[in-house]
Amino acid sequence: MASKDAQNQKPRGQPGFPPGAPDPDPGLHRASSNPRSPVQQPGVPKSSSFLPTVSLSPGLECLSQLDLIIIHQQVELLGMILGTQTSNKYEIKNRLGQRIYFAVEENHCFNRTVCSTLRACTLRITDNSGQEVITVNRPLRCNSCWCPCYLQELEIQAPPGTTVGYVSQKWDPFQPKFTIQNANKEDILNIVGPCATCGCFGDVDFEVKTINENLSIGKISKYWSGFVNGVFTNADNFGIHIPADLDVTVKAAMIGACFLFDFMFFEHSLTRL
């Protein structure tokens, strides 16, 4: 008799809902009952919520899960001894120090001598098999806080021949400001640097922010290498701290931004000491 009464009894429903109403999401209560289940904090969007999702470009697979990209400029002994400006070379590594890419600057000696840090150049980034996966094109542009037009810009291609983004300088009389754009030149992220970029006895951080600059999602740091290395070599080291789920084309654009910052703020030789 008790079992028959139990069958005839109507379901009481879930707490907070009318009796007999179906559960709108059966998995909702199971997830909330677990105190260790992650909960997205209100007002803190994931990177995928404000950045477009695109297909994975060939050759950029190494960037897909990285939250730290290390860029190490190779020491140019010839330029250090002669005090001349030579083509830059960079090793791009993961958090474990394993090299994933190698970048080489291409330009003419006359261009390096006359235009110095403003020179137009192309940086070709290859993987460990020697296959070119990213091309960074830098045209000849001006570099003055008093000139609001024709400022610095980089074009990022991945694979070579396919434009995936740009790094454009924004005019500001006090701080270095840049914008990362997609292939259609639509703004995606802002990069804001400090008022002083000399980096004496400390790192120099460029904050990566959303378009409205209300939220910082990462940073690009120029690491201080010490007094001896800073004076007697022209080698710089950078670290890109970003969310692991950030789109790989945006990560590639940030690598290009590192090269641009090196040219604009940190490149020097013994001829300028």
Side-chain angles (χ1 to χ4, degrees):
M1 181 67 67
S3 59
K4 186 175 181 180
D5 294 339
Q7 294 177 357
N8 296 330
Q9 186 177 2
K10 294 184 179 181
R12 298 181 61 86
Q14 297 295 336
F17 297 94
D23 186 357
D25 188 357
L28 178 63
H29 302 282
R30 290 195 296 269
S32 60
S33 62
N34 184 3
R36 296 187 179 181
S37 60
V39 178
Q40 177 69 19
Q41 295 295 330
V44 183
K46 295 181 180 179
S47 59
S48 57
S49 65
F50 55 83
L51 292 176
T53 301
V54 298
S55 59
L56 189 62
S57 299
L60 302 185
E61 298 87 355
C62 297
L63 301 176
S64 60
Q65 298 299 323
L66 296 186
D67 60 354
L68 173 62
I69 303 172
I70 301 171
I71 298 180
H72 171 67
Q73 183 181 4
Q74 290 192 335
V75 177
E76 296 292 337
L77 296 178
L78 180 61
M80 183 181 65
I81 295 173
L82 300 179
T84 58
Q85 186 65 58
T86 59
S87 297
N88 291 342
K89 298 180 178 64
Y90 303 88
E91 285 186 310
I92 303 172
K93 305 177 181 180
N94 59 19
R95 178 182 290 274
L96 301 178
Q98 300 168 333
R99 191 177 83 175
I100 55 177
Y101 297 127
F102 186 74
V104 179
E105 175 192 357
E106 287 186 358
N107 56 21
H108 299 288
C109 180
F110 178 81
N111 190 15
R112 293 195 304 270
T113 303
V114 175
C115 299
S116 186
T117 59
L118 295 178
R119 61 186 181 270
C121 65
T122 297
L123 291 116
R124 305 195 181 276
I125 304 176
T126 58
D127 57 19
N128 290 328
S129 64
Q131 180 71 29
E132 184 176 351
V133 294
I134 305 173
T135 301
V136 179
N137 294 316
R138 184 198 187 196
L140 182 63
R141 297 261 183 160
C142 64
N143 181 23
S144 174
C145 62
W146 305 111
C147 181
C149 61
Y150 213 63
L151 297 176
Q152 293 292 309
E153 183 178 87
L154 290 182
E155 178 195 24
I156 293 87
Q157 299 178 358
T162 302
T163 301
V164 296
Y166 297 87
V167 180
S168 299
Q169 183 182 9
K170 298 171 62 178
W171 183 82
D172 191 278
F174 305 107
Q175 287 181 292
K177 288 190 176 182
F178 301 83
T179 300
I180 292 181
Q181 302 172 325
N182 60 16
N184 298 322
K185 288 201 169 185
E186 298 169 340
D187 295 347
I188 298 177
L189 292 172
N190 287 335
I191 302 177
V192 181
C195 296
T197 59
C198 60
C200 296
F201 308 106
D203 298 344
V204 180
D205 294 330
F206 294 79
E207 286 194 74
V208 181
K209 300 185 175 183
T210 53
I211 293 300
N212 54 18
E213 298 189 8
N214 291 334
L215 179 66
S216 178
I217 69 164
K219 64 179 179 178
I220 299 176
S221 299
K222 193 273 181 181
Y223 298 134
W224 184 59
S225 55
F227 177 78
V228 175
N229 288 337
V231 172
F232 293 101
T233 72
N234 62 346
D236 294 320
N237 297 298
F238 293 88
I240 305 175
H241 303 260
I242 31 80
D245 62 341
L246 194 64
D247 191 273
V248 291
T249 58
V250 181
K251 294 180 182 181
M254 289 191 181
I255 293 176
C258 273
F259 297 150
L260 181 60
F261 298 163
D262 188 31
F263 282 114
M264 293 180 61
F265 306 114
F266 307 112
E267 187 166 305
H268 63 275
S269 64
L270 293 180
T271 58
R272 296 176 58 188
L273 296 177

